[in-house]
Every structure is written in C-alpha cells, then in structure tokens.
Amino acid sequence: MSIRHAETDSVLATDVAVADSGLRQAIGLMGRWSVPDDYGLVFPFDRAAPRFIHMVLVGTALDVLWLVEGRVERVATLRPMIGFGRARADTLIELPAGAASAVEAGDRIEWSADR
C-alpha cells in the first residue's frame, strides 16, 4: 500500500497507517522521536473543514499535506516540538520531513493503507 504523488508518479510512502478513530487522530505521532523514511500517517475526515496540526511531543520534523478530494490545499514542513499548521482539509497526511519536497498546492495525491 502507498501514498503516491500523481503529478510525478512517485511514491511518497509504502508503510501507511490510518488514524481512523478520534483517539488515534488525537495521538497522531506524539511520542515518536523518529519515523521510517517510507512511513505515512493518514487522517481521513468526513468533510472538509479547517484542520490543525501541532507538533507537541513529536520529536522529528514532518511534512504535512492538507487535502480536499485528493488535491493538495497546503504543504508544510513542521519543526519538532514547536511546529503548528492549519488549512482546510478532508484528509491530512504526515510524512517524514523531505518526503513531500516535490509536492505543491493543487497536486493530486492518491493513497491506500495497510492498517
């Protein structure tokens, strides 16, 4: 399973988890001090709305994608422990910093998950 950048036909992650409950979404990657290069965490929501990401207790930088219907609304690299981001989204994706360096607003992202 994977997260794929449709514009470049490149794979951003091959080890994909889904934060599919309120508790998993609240915890996200808190307490993690590193993530594998091929890892992605997807946060699906029922509808597009303003979505906030904080980096409290996340010890590694992350690339975050805010998506609406598979299109990127915003891309940001958030710093460990102090990063914060907000944008409208129906899906959020967290990746290791640098994994989304070629992704821009308007690009299409496709994903499927292992777990």
Side-chain angles (χ1 to χ4, degrees), residues 3-112:
I3 298 170
R4 193 173 75 79
H5 183 212
E7 273 64 25
T8 61
D9 195 31
S10 61
V11 174
L12 303 177
T14 57
D15 179 12
V16 180
V18 179
D20 54 4
S21 71
L23 180 60
R24 287 189 74 186
Q25 290 175 350
I27 294 171
L29 292 173
M30 289 187 340
R32 300 278 299 263
W33 304 106
S34 66
V35 292
D37 289 341
D38 62 344
Y39 184 78
L41 181 58
V42 178
F43 298 74
F45 299 97
D46 293 334
R47 62 183 176 79
R51 306 290 174 186
F52 302 88
I53 292 286
H54 67 79
M55 298 292 286
V56 174
L57 297 177
V58 179
T60 187
L62 299 175
D63 283 352
V64 179
L65 309 177
W66 286 261
L67 310 177
V68 174
E69 296 181 4
R71 292 261 177 219
V72 176
E73 291 284 311
R74 180 177 181 210
V75 180
T77 301
L78 301 182
R79 294 172 43 197
M81 304 301 282
I82 62 170
F84 176 84
R86 176 180 180 229
R88 185 171 175 268
D90 60 20
T91 304
L92 289 168
I93 298 178
E94 295 180 342
L95 301 160
S101 61
V103 178
E104 298 179 352
D107 288 356
R108 185 152 200 70
I109 301 294
E110 299 166 350
W111 67 274
S112 59

